[in-house]
Amino acid sequence: MFRRRWSGLPADPIFPANISELGYFINEDDEIRSLENADYYFHYFLTKNERYNDRRRFAYNEAIGNVVHSRLDAESLAPLRLPVGTKPIDPHVPIRISPDLPERSRVVLIVGEDNQQFGVLAHRVLGGKGGITKGSILNLVQALKKQPSSSTDPTPPGIIIANPSELWWWPEGKRGLTPVDRHYIPMASAVHLGRAYDKARNGIPKNITTAEHVKCVFEEVVDKLVGKDVKLDIIAVGNSAEEVEKYLNDDEVWKKFGTMMGAMVVLGGFYHSDEFKCEGFKQFMQERARAYAIHHTPLDNPIAESFGNPGALGFTSFGCPAFSAGEANMTELVLIETHHSVLNWLENVALLGEAYRNEDVQIYGDDDGVIPEEVLQAWGEKDVEETEKHMKGTEKDMEEAEAEIKKDELHALEDGNSGHDSTPKKEVAVSKESSPGSSQDSRVAAAEKEDERNVVLKVKDLKVTVEDGE
C-alpha cells in the first residue's frame, strides 16, 4: 500500500515582493515593462502551473502596492488605521487622509471598488498601457490638489481614501487582503486548497463587510476628524457606491451628515431610486448628484434624468442625472475614463456653493429625433457625415415606399371598380331561367361586392405592412 508523507508534497513557491527582482522596471512613461524585453508588460503565464503563477502575481501585486503607497506618502496623505487607535499588530484596515482635515473647508471622500487592492483602480491599466499613476488613485489625488475648495477658499480640498476591499485579515502578514488575494497567501504546500475564513482570526472589528467599513469611515473619520462646517464630496465606485447610498439613505444618518453634503458621484453603481426612503437624501440626489454608467454613446452624453429613462437599454434608475462613461466597458475603468469630467463637475459645484442645482438634461433618442450639438461634436466630422447620410437615405426610402403604396392602392381600386382585379372571385352558379331581380342575381351582386371589399382590405394591409417595415 502506498503512503505519501506531508513532507513529500511540493513546497509552495515564494517570490520576492520587488519589481526589479521579479524581472520588471518602471520606464519613463510610468509603465511597468519587462527587463528582458521592454516591449512587454507583466506576463502571468510564466509556467503551466496555476499555483506558481498566482503566487508570483501575489508578490507582483504587493510590489505594486508598495510603489503606490510610497507615492501617497510623497503626496502627504497619512495612513490611518481603522478602528482608530488600533495597534499595528492587531487586525485593522488602513486608509489615507490629509493630515489637516479639521482645517479644510471642503473634503473629498473616495470610495473605490470592494475587490480592488487599496489605491488601485484597475490593474489592467496600472500594469499595462497607461501606467501606475493613471491606473491608481494617484491620478485623482494630484488633480484634486490643484482645485480650490470654494469661491472664497483657494486652498485645495482635504482627501479621504477609504479601503473597502482589504477586509480579510492575514495574521502572518499583519495586513488586510482583498477577496482575491486572500487565496494566494503562502500555504503548507503548493497543493493545499486554501484557508477557510475564520471571523475570529480573519475579521477586522467594525470592518467585517464593506457596509461596516463605510459606516466606520463616516462615524470615526468624517464625524470626528472633519470640521462641522465642511462640505463633503463623495466619489464612489461599483458595489461600494451602493453601500454608501444605503448608509446615507436613513433619516437619522442624514440628520447627522446631510448638512455637510456637497455633491456625490456614483460610478457603476446599481442602487435603485425606488429604495430611497429618506426624503432629504432623495432630494440631494436629484439636485446635487450625478451618475456615470457604461453606455455606447460618447463620454458625458446624458442618458437619463433623475427619474430614469425607460427607453434606454440597461439600468438608469439612479435617482439623479446619469451620463455615459465613454469608452469604459467595465466598472473598474469607469473612474479612469471619467475622472476629468468628475473632478471638473465637483469643482463647479464647490464654486457655486449652495446655489448649485442640477441642470435639466436632454436625453438623446427623444421623439423629436434631434441629436444634441455636443454629441455630434464628440462623434467627429466623419461620424456626423455618415449619420446625416444615413438619415437622408432613410427619409428618401420612406418617401419612395409611400409613393409606391399609393400607386398600388390606386391601381387596385381601379381594377376592383372595373371588375378586372386579380383577386379570385367566388364562383356562383347562375341558372338560365334566372331573371333580373331574382335571388340568384342578388347572390352574384353580393359576391362581387365582397370581392371589391377584399381588394380594399388587402391594399390597406399592404400599406400598414410596408410602413411598419415588415
Side-chain angles (χ1 to χ4, degrees), residues 246-319:
K246 288 179 182 178
Y247 177 73
L248 293 174
N249 185 28
D250 181 88
D251 290 331
E252 292 300 321
V253 172
W254 191 254
K255 182 178 180 181
K256 188 176 184 179
F257 296 106
T259 55
M260 66 169 57
M261 293 296 297
M264 181 173 178
V265 182
V266 175
L267 303 113
F270 294 98
Y271 191 61
H272 204 290
S273 57
D274 288 349
E275 300 293 331
F276 293 171
K277 60 182 180 180
C278 175
E279 288 299 325
F281 175 70
K282 181 179 181 180
Q283 183 179 358
F284 167 79
M285 291 294 292
Q286 293 175 349
E287 297 178 351
R288 302 178 68 89
R290 65 165 45 188
Y292 281 90
I294 297 173
H295 200 258
H296 63 276
T297 52
L299 177 64
D300 285 327
N301 181 56
I303 59 177
E305 297 181 88
S306 58
F307 52 81
N309 181 7
L313 295 175
F315 179 84
T316 59
S317 301
F318 297 98

Side-chain angles (χ1 to χ4, degrees), residues 191-228:
V191 294
H192 272 65
L193 292 178
R195 185 182 299 178
Y197 176 79
D198 183 353
K199 185 176 180 179
R201 286 173 52 85
N202 307 121
I204 300 176
K206 299 183 180 180
N207 292 270
I208 300 297
T209 64
T210 301
E212 289 189 11
H213 177 70
V214 169
K215 181 180 179 181
C216 185
V217 169
F218 271 91
E219 294 184 354
E220 296 201 7
V221 181
V222 176
D223 185 37
K224 298 179 180 179
L225 301 181
V226 174
K228 298 300 181 183

